[in-house]
Amino acid sequence: FQRTEADGRERALLVRFLSTFIRKMQTLVAVVARLLKREPAFLSDDILDDLRDDAAARSREIADVKNLIKTLIVGLKTVLWGVSNYPLKSSVPVQKGLTESEVKLAHELIEASLRCLELFTVEKSSDSEEKETLDFFASVFTVLTRTNFSEVFAPKMGVLFTYICKNETTLTIAQHLLASQQVSRAFSEILLDFLLSRLEELGEAKPSSAILLRMFKIVFGAFNLFPDSEPVLRQRLRRIVTNCLRLSSSVEDPSPYFHLLRSLFRNIAAGKFEALYKEMLPLLSLLLDGLTRMQQGPHLRRSTADLVVELSLTVPARLSSLLPYLRELVRPINAALRSRSQELVNMGLRTFEFWVDNLSPEYIDPFLVDSMPDLARAIWAHLRPHPHAFGGLALRILGKMGGRNRKFLRDAVLVRFDQSTQPGLEIEVPFASAIASTAAGAGAGARGSDDAAEAQPAVAMRLQLDRLVDVAEGVLEASSSLHFRR
């Protein structure tokens, strides 16, 4: 393949090899379809005996066909590499790659191979064999140039998605291509465009919606593996955010779109994507306004409301870019501190502590004038001893604020009081004294121990029944209560 002049005969031979491999794979499609058929459940004894013999023969045939498919796939990679790297005839300067007719052969290869690979996903002998075969198949296309790869896979993404919906294990093909340095950027661009074209299906209650969301998360994670793919996401960031906000307001359950945005924000925050942070700046106003309307809207489930609060606190933007929106962000912090989710409470406390550490009192206090009373009470609610998880963090924040945490308190603090001064129903619980217990435990080994136990009276304690019920309710409601206390 180092020749600079090619008359085309050698390349034609390689193309014939490739065509032969594909025809063999297409022939196996009918064999696989026959092997995957199921026999009727109610049969006579004679037929069942014949089927038992057929089952053993079928198992051997399945093993043989699997071995043949794996052999073809391994050989296909070498042949496809040879065709792709052999110089095109009469090209000046020398060019390599697939011609239009060879790209069509690759399309046929994808369709035939996916049908044959169903044998590995339905008739599993082991998970490792299935994954290994799918990885081999995906690696066949990593030898293509970027242009040829796009020409081969872009028209066939719908076919691949159909097979992934049939069996999620087929998603291994997409994962392998996204993790390959040679084709990750090209495939992430193809996959992201395909997913965005079906974004409306994400809000529909059907199994393919979960597959779409999972594929979004996988492609977002690939940008952290290969940061040079950042332009692919940057060019589509505005479209993702605006369409998610628009569609979330028109469906009954908007949580899939919020899960998508959460995955996007987390992956942006995990990497050093300065261009993406700049791309988010014009979207901040639209994004925060939309999330605020969602948070104030009625009929939101608690899990969805928590997602909206989390998105408001994890918007991928520098603090300097969020300064004009601090007043809008106080509300989600307050909601986070009052949430039952420990992750959300921790996020709210950490965010507010970050503000206190990096913003001067003269700048931040005007934004807190109206909301600081509720915010301070929310922080005070976490001033609890162990095993409460956030007592130390809440105390540290109040210590950093100093007297400012009481500066804006104008209303009386709501405290609990008893309307009646008369004691309610009480229970008298007797306890044996420590001296009596010790004396009784010693037994008859010491003279006079019985007399000492009789001489010491038992101790009785009166417990108010309404207080006992209140304490029991508090223990059961607290998520951090120990098991033995419950």
Side-chain angles (χ1 to χ4, degrees):
F1 298 132
Q2 301 299 322
R3 294 176 54 184
T4 57
E5 297 181 1
D7 55 10
R9 289 178 298 178
E10 296 87 348
R11 183 184 181 89
L13 182 60
L14 289 172
V15 173
R16 288 179 62 186
F17 286 157
L18 178 62
S19 180
T20 303
F21 272 80
I22 295 172
R23 299 293 176 267
K24 184 61 178 178
M25 194 73 76
Q26 291 172 336
T27 303
L28 290 174
V29 169
V31 179
V32 170
R34 176 176 57 81
L35 291 174
L36 293 180
K37 286 183 180 179
R38 294 292 182 262
E39 299 294 338
F42 300 99
L43 299 171
S44 64
D45 293 338
D46 295 337
I47 297 178
L48 285 175
D49 291 337
D50 295 338
L51 285 179
R52 291 189 186 97
D53 297 335
D54 291 343
R58 178 175 176 272
S59 298
R60 291 192 297 270
E61 187 177 4
I62 288 176
D64 292 339
V65 172
K66 282 184 176 181
N67 289 330
L68 181 56
I69 292 173
K70 286 190 288 186
T71 303
L72 288 173
I73 289 176
V74 173
L76 274 168
K77 183 175 182 180
T78 303
V79 175
L80 192 61
W81 179 88
V83 175
S84 179
N85 285 270
Y86 199 90
L88 294 172
K89 182 179 179 181
S90 303
S91 58
V92 180
V94 177
Q95 296 179 358
K96 299 179 181 180
L98 301 181
T99 63
E100 184 178 352
S101 60
E102 293 160 0
V103 169
K104 291 181 180 179
L105 282 177
H107 291 166
E108 296 178 11
L109 170 63
I110 291 177
E111 293 188 6
S113 299
L114 287 175
R115 292 181 182 181
C116 291
L117 290 173
E118 280 190 278
L119 187 64
F120 292 87
T121 57
V122 177
E123 298 289 339
K124 291 185 180 181
S125 57
S126 66
D127 292 336
S128 59
E129 180 194 37
E130 179 186 15
K131 186 178 184 305
E132 181 183 359
T133 307
L134 292 172
D135 281 332
F136 268 131
F137 173 70
S139 68
V140 168
F141 302 94
T142 59
V143 300
L144 297 176
T145 64
R146 181 176 178 179
T147 302
N148 287 150
F149 183 88
S150 299
E151 292 173 345
V152 168
F153 262 95
K156 295 301 175 183
M157 279 305 305
V159 177
L160 179 60
F161 181 73
T162 301
Y163 280 93
I164 291 175
C165 291
K166 287 183 180 179
N167 192 313
E168 286 192 42
T169 312
T170 314
L171 194 58
T172 302
I173 297 173
Q175 291 173 323
H176 182 95
L177 294 175
L178 289 171
S180 172
Q181 188 173 5
Q182 292 84 359
V183 298
S184 178
R185 179 168 179 172
F187 186 68
S188 61
E189 186 173 4
I190 296 170
L191 181 56
L192 199 53
D193 285 338
F194 173 79
L195 295 176
L196 287 174
S197 68
R198 307 179 73 114
L199 189 60
E200 292 184 1
E201 299 179 17
L202 193 62
E204 301 175 3
K206 55 184 184 180
S208 61
S209 301
I211 302 295
L212 280 173
L213 181 59
R214 186 177 176 189
M215 294 180 75
F216 266 114
K217 293 180 178 180
I218 291 173
V219 72
F220 290 154
F223 293 109
N224 284 322
L225 289 176
F226 304 104
D228 60 324
S229 302
E230 179 184 9
V232 175
L233 181 58
R234 180 174 55 83
Q235 296 167 4
R236 295 159 179 80
L237 184 61
R238 176 184 291 271
R239 183 182 172 190
I240 295 173
V241 174
T242 55
N243 286 350
C244 282
L245 290 177
R246 177 178 57 85
L247 294 172
S248 64
S249 61
S250 61
V251 296
E252 183 178 353
D253 181 17
S255 59
Y257 295 103
F258 295 149
H259 280 290
L260 190 154
L261 288 176
R262 181 173 67 173
S263 176
L264 174 65
F265 291 175
R266 286 182 174 181
N267 281 282
I268 292 177
K272 297 180 179 179
F273 301 118
E274 292 299 329
L276 292 180
Y277 279 98
K278 293 179 181 178
E279 192 70 21
M280 280 296 300
L281 291 180
L283 302 175
L284 288 179
S285 178
L286 173 67
L287 179 59
L288 292 176
D289 288 345
L291 293 176
T292 301
R293 287 195 302 271
M294 281 286 182
Q295 190 178 351
Q296 295 173 346
H299 312 303
L300 266 187
R301 292 186 299 180
R302 179 178 299 168
S303 58
T304 306
D306 287 347
L307 269 175
V308 174
V309 172
E310 182 179 349
L311 288 175
S312 302
L313 299 180
T314 56
V315 173
R318 306 297 183 196
L319 181 59
S320 57
S321 304
L322 293 173
L323 292 181
Y325 310 100
L326 286 186
R327 198 180 302 276
E328 290 83 353
L329 291 174
V330 173
R331 180 185 179 93
I333 287 182
N334 200 350
L337 295 179
R338 300 176 187 275
S339 172
R340 295 186 180 181
S341 169
Q342 291 199 356
E343 181 181 359
L344 208 54
V345 171
N346 182 62
M347 189 179 300
L349 289 172
R350 296 287 182 184
T351 302
F352 189 69
E353 183 182 24
F354 184 71
W355 289 7
V356 173
D357 289 339
N358 293 275
L359 299 176
S360 64
E362 293 78 11
Y363 186 87
I364 193 176
D365 285 355
F367 295 104
L368 303 178
V369 171
D370 298 328
S371 55
M372 191 60 200
D374 290 337
L375 199 58
R377 293 191 189 98
I379 297 176
W380 289 349
H382 294 284
L383 290 176
R384 302 178 188 176
H386 186 76
H388 188 68
F390 307 107
L393 180 55
L395 185 62
R396 187 170 72 229
I397 293 174
L398 293 175
K400 290 180 178 180
M401 295 183 66
R404 294 160 56 206
N405 68 76
R406 300 181 297 276
K407 179 179 178 181
F408 302 103
L409 293 181
R410 298 183 298 270
D411 302 328
V413 179
L414 298 177
V415 294
R416 179 177 175 178
F417 65 98
D418 293 327
Q419 296 183 358
S420 175
T421 58
Q422 298 296 326
L425 185 63
E426 295 181 344
I427 300 177
E428 187 173 292
V429 182
F431 293 94
S433 67
I435 298 177
S437 299
T438 304
R447 185 182 298 273
S449 59
D450 293 337
D451 296 338
E454 293 177 0
Q456 183 67 32
V459 178
M461 181 178 293
R462 291 186 176 183
L463 304 176
Q464 295 184 10
L465 186 58
D466 56 343
R467 296 295 179 87
L468 288 175
V469 173
D470 291 342
V471 171
E473 288 181 350
V475 170
L476 292 175
E477 290 178 355
S479 60
S480 59
S481 297
L482 298 179
H483 178 69
F484 74 90
R485 290 186 179 180
R486 290 176 175 271

